[in-house]
Amino acid sequence: MYAQLVDTGVKRVKTLDEMAPQERHFQEKIDADIKIEAKNWMPEAYRRTLIRQMSQHAHSEIVGMLPEKNWLTRAPNLKRKLQLLAKIQDEAGHGLYLYSAVETLGADRDEELEKLHSGEVKYSSIFNYPSRSWADMGTIGWLVDGAAIVNQVVLQRTSYGPYSRAMIRICKEESFHQRQGYQILLEMMHNGTEEQKAMVQDSINRFWWPSLMMFGPHDSDSPNSAQSMQWKIKRMSNDDLRQRFIDQTIPQLELLGCTVPDPELKWNEERGHYDFGAIDWSEFYSVLKGNGPCNRERLKTRRDAYDNGAWVREAAHAYAKKQQQEAA
Amino acid sequence: MTTQHALTEYLLRLGDSNIILAQRLCEWIGHAPVLEEELALGNVALDLFGQARSWLEYAAQLQGEGRSADDLVFGRNEREYRNLLISEQSNGNYADTLARQYLFDAWHYYLLQALQHSTDEQVAAIAAKGLKEVTYHLRRSSAWIKRLGDGTEESHQKMQQAIDDIWTYSGEMMMTDAIDAPLVAAGIVPDMTAITAQWQAHVSTTLTEATLCCPAQDSYMQRGGKQGLHGEQLGFLLAEMQFLPRAYPDAVW
């Protein structure tokens, strides 16, 4: 999940009877699974929540390029280098889709970027973890994109039309890269040296818990979820998505021949799900507050890129203006 | 020198120039001035890596020693690399990167245009495929030269400086040596005279439109890349690029 904590600003979910006619009409559309489109009336809080969630999602795509770029110049062969480059390029493209979708809500891409740079709007906590080895390129593809896909597949049914359509497009590309990530790990585990296998296990050990945190806090600690669910911005709860992710990931882990750093992980016959250990929420909140291993570096990189590029953007504007004047 | 040996060397020069320039472009990812440029830079790099792979696979095949394109990319040291000096120049600011890209693209475009008529079928096929991509590269980089040259006062100065700084590395693209002669004779590669004229015309037109001064075509030009005599930066670039296969020689990825 690329938007982990989105404040709807709503204290209590209203019933239909409590709503003014316009709002009730809106909620009835949502209940009937009719998509909301840009020009439709929507509650201000719905608009704000979506802008927050979608811009967080867009920022995550952009910041998410950085841990992978880290290994782009060091990819071990041409095939992997091309795959990784194509993946990073797709992420930039996903960012573009999402910023476009955000703009349908009356937001402005540059203003949203400013909020990212000032720390007012977050991006996914996962990208504050360093990529320390080549195996991380496999793990990020498999686990991190895997978690994102579990979330995004559900978001294809989100109530806001432009967001839903962006998710449909993004999921198609994302699934492809996720398989490539898994392939990186499979190759190393099944045909690699002992050193490579250790590299893979070490990477899974480092990314397992942060990946589970991508789904956000427990439902009981997620006070804004109820409103997001009523608006059908969210279609499944954090805990349900996390469980789904674990259930589908463990067989893939077994096929790799790896383990997860969770002694409590066990199949529960009765529930038909895997049980798993407690997540370290203090780490989660600490990363969200800016104290993860790479928060400062990631934000500084984005800010510097933006600041250093100012003269280029200004030149492009000035040139475009001259061209327009000449044409007129 | 046999034609086959000459062609192998020629292919290495082409492939290496693409690889090294693409590697430089990768360094920009995450740092570009605007999101659309992240995409464009990645796009161009992807094309160049792809073309490099084709050229180097063919070179490896001609060598007949059972090596792969990967062996050539990750297993040769800087004295064995045959890339043009212009392709290894560091990124600098965005104007530096675009000056390097534009001068390279213009050369690349006319060269591939000629190479698609090569008497060597494989060379012709790789060139024809690459030309479609390079047509886009050239359109993009020449547009940026104009945008920055004729943008603001600051961008104009930076663009002029970038052109002036990189100019001395542009001549090598047009230089020929003993490798070229037998290949030109066999119709495998073009004579550089016509391409040089096309390149000069494109560059002087673009720079004029960009309100920039075109440095003298007869300025002193650096050489050596094609013979494996590189600047000091290439060693660092290769150290980074080749780290994994060098550190884990028995690994499969």
Side-chain angles (χ1 to χ4, degrees), chain A residues 2 10 18 23-24 27 85 100 123 138 162 210 214 228-229 254 271 279 289 292 296 308:
Chain A
Y2 282 166
V10 176
E18 293 173 291
E23 194 176 353
R24 183 192 298 199
Q27 188 61 49
L85 184 49
S100 301
Y123 52 87
M214 288 174 70
S228 285
M229 294 283 261
E254 285 166 354
R271 288 204 309 130
I279 291 172
K289 272 200 202 112
R296 282 175 185 78
N308 294 338

Coordinates of all heavy atoms in Angstrom, one line a residue, chain A residues 2 10 18 23-24 27 85 100 123 138 162 210 214 228-229 254 271 279 289 292 296 308:
Chain A
Y2 N 0.6 2.1 -0.9 CA 1.5 3.3 -1.0 C 1.0 4.5 -0.2 O 1.6 5.5 -0.2 CB 1.7 3.6 -2.5 CG 2.7 2.7 -3.2 CD1 2.8 2.7 -4.5 CD2 3.5 1.9 -2.4 CE1 3.7 1.9 -5.1 CE2 4.4 1.1 -3.0 CZ 4.5 1.1 -4.4 OH 5.4 0.3 -5.0
V10 N -12.7 13.3 9.4 CA -14.1 13.1 9.8 C -14.1 12.2 11.1 O -13.5 11.2 11.2 CB -14.9 12.3 8.8 CG1 -16.3 12.0 9.2 CG2 -14.9 13.1 7.5
E18 N -28.9 11.4 8.4 CA -28.2 12.6 9.0 C -27.7 13.5 7.9 O -27.3 14.6 8.1 CB -27.1 12.2 9.9 CG -27.5 11.5 11.2 CD -26.3 11.0 11.9 OE1 -25.6 10.1 11.4 OE2 -26.0 11.6 13.0
E23 N -25.6 15.4 -0.2 CA -24.7 14.4 0.3 C -25.3 13.0 0.3 O -24.6 12.0 0.0 CB -24.3 14.8 1.8 CG -23.1 14.0 2.3 CD -22.7 14.5 3.7 OE1 -23.2 15.5 4.2 OE2 -21.8 13.9 4.3
R24 N -26.6 13.0 0.6 CA -27.3 11.7 0.6 C -27.3 11.1 -0.8 O -27.1 9.9 -1.1 CB -28.7 11.8 1.1 CG -29.4 10.5 1.1 CD -30.9 10.6 1.4 NE -31.2 11.2 2.7 CZ -32.4 11.2 3.3 NH1 -33.3 10.5 2.7 NH2 -32.6 11.8 4.4
Q27 N -24.0 9.7 -1.4 CA -23.8 8.4 -0.8 C -24.6 7.3 -1.4 O -24.1 6.1 -1.5 CB -24.1 8.5 0.7 CG -23.7 7.3 1.6 CD -22.2 7.0 1.6 OE1 -21.4 7.9 1.8 NE2 -21.8 5.8 1.3
L85 N 15.7 -0.9 -15.4 CA 15.5 0.4 -16.0 C 14.0 0.6 -16.4 O 13.4 1.6 -16.2 CB 16.5 0.6 -17.1 CG 16.5 2.0 -17.8 CD1 16.6 3.1 -16.8 CD2 17.7 2.0 -18.8
S100 N -1.9 13.1 -12.6 CA -3.0 13.6 -13.5 C -4.4 13.3 -12.8 O -5.3 14.1 -12.9 CB -3.0 12.8 -14.8 OG -1.8 13.0 -15.5
Y123 N 5.1 9.8 1.9 CA 5.1 8.7 0.9 C 5.3 7.4 1.7 O 5.5 7.4 2.9 CB 6.3 8.9 -0.1 CG 7.6 9.1 0.6 CD1 8.4 8.0 0.9 CD2 8.0 10.4 1.0 CE1 9.6 8.2 1.6 CE2 9.2 10.6 1.7 CZ 10.0 9.5 2.0 OH 11.2 9.6 2.6
G138 N 15.4 -7.9 -6.2 CA 14.4 -8.9 -6.3 C 13.3 -8.8 -5.2 O 12.1 -8.9 -5.5
P162 N -11.5 8.3 -11.8 CA -10.1 8.5 -12.3 C -9.1 7.7 -11.5 O -8.1 7.2 -12.1 CB -9.9 10.0 -12.2 CG -11.3 10.6 -12.3 CD -12.2 9.6 -11.6
P210 N 9.0 -4.6 7.2 CA 8.6 -3.3 6.5 C 7.5 -3.5 5.4 O 6.7 -2.6 5.2 CB 9.9 -2.8 5.9 CG 10.9 -3.4 6.9 CD 10.4 -4.7 7.3
M214 N 3.4 -1.9 5.2 CA 2.9 -1.1 4.0 C 1.4 -1.0 4.1 O 0.8 -0.1 3.5 CB 3.3 -1.7 2.7 CG 4.8 -1.5 2.4 SD 5.3 -2.3 0.9 CE 4.4 -1.4 -0.4
S228 N -13.5 6.1 5.1 CA -12.9 5.7 3.8 C -13.7 4.5 3.3 O -13.9 4.4 2.1 CB -11.4 5.4 3.9 OG -10.7 6.6 4.0
M229 N -14.1 3.6 4.2 CA -14.8 2.4 3.7 C -16.2 2.8 3.3 O -16.8 2.3 2.3 CB -14.9 1.4 4.9 CG -13.6 0.8 5.3 SD -13.0 -0.5 4.1 CE -13.5 -1.9 5.0
E254 N 8.1 -20.4 0.2 CA 8.5 -21.8 0.3 C 9.1 -22.3 -1.0 O 10.1 -23.1 -1.0 CB 7.3 -22.7 0.7 CG 6.9 -22.5 2.1 CD 5.6 -23.0 2.5 OE1 4.8 -23.4 1.6 OE2 5.3 -23.0 3.7
R271 N -8.7 -21.2 10.9 CA -9.0 -20.0 10.3 C -8.9 -20.0 8.8 O -9.4 -19.2 8.0 CB -8.1 -18.9 10.8 CG -8.3 -18.4 12.2 CD -7.7 -17.0 12.4 NE -6.3 -16.8 12.0 CZ -5.9 -15.8 11.2 NH1 -6.8 -14.9 10.8 NH2 -4.6 -15.7 10.9
I279 N 3.6 -7.0 14.8 CA 4.4 -6.0 14.1 C 4.9 -5.0 15.1 O 4.3 -4.6 16.1 CB 3.5 -5.3 13.0 CG1 3.2 -6.4 11.9 CG2 4.2 -4.1 12.4 CD1 2.2 -5.9 10.9
K289 N 7.4 9.3 11.1 CA 7.8 10.6 11.6 C 9.1 11.1 11.0 O 9.5 12.3 11.3 CB 8.0 10.5 13.1 CG 6.7 10.7 13.9 CD 7.0 11.0 15.4 CE 5.9 10.7 16.3 NZ 6.1 9.6 17.2
G292 N 13.3 6.9 9.8 CA 13.7 5.7 9.2 C 15.2 5.9 8.7 O 15.7 7.0 8.7
R296 N 15.8 11.1 5.6 CA 16.4 12.4 5.3 C 17.0 12.4 3.9 O 16.9 13.4 3.1 CB 17.5 12.7 6.3 CG 16.9 13.2 7.6 CD 17.9 13.4 8.7 NE 17.2 13.8 10.0 CZ 16.6 12.9 10.7 NH1 16.6 11.7 10.4 NH2 16.0 13.3 11.8
N308 N 17.6 22.0 -8.2 CA 18.7 22.1 -9.2 C 18.1 22.2 -10.6 O 18.7 22.6 -11.5 CB 19.6 20.9 -9.1 CG 20.4 20.9 -7.8 OD1 20.6 22.0 -7.2 ND2 20.9 19.8 -7.4

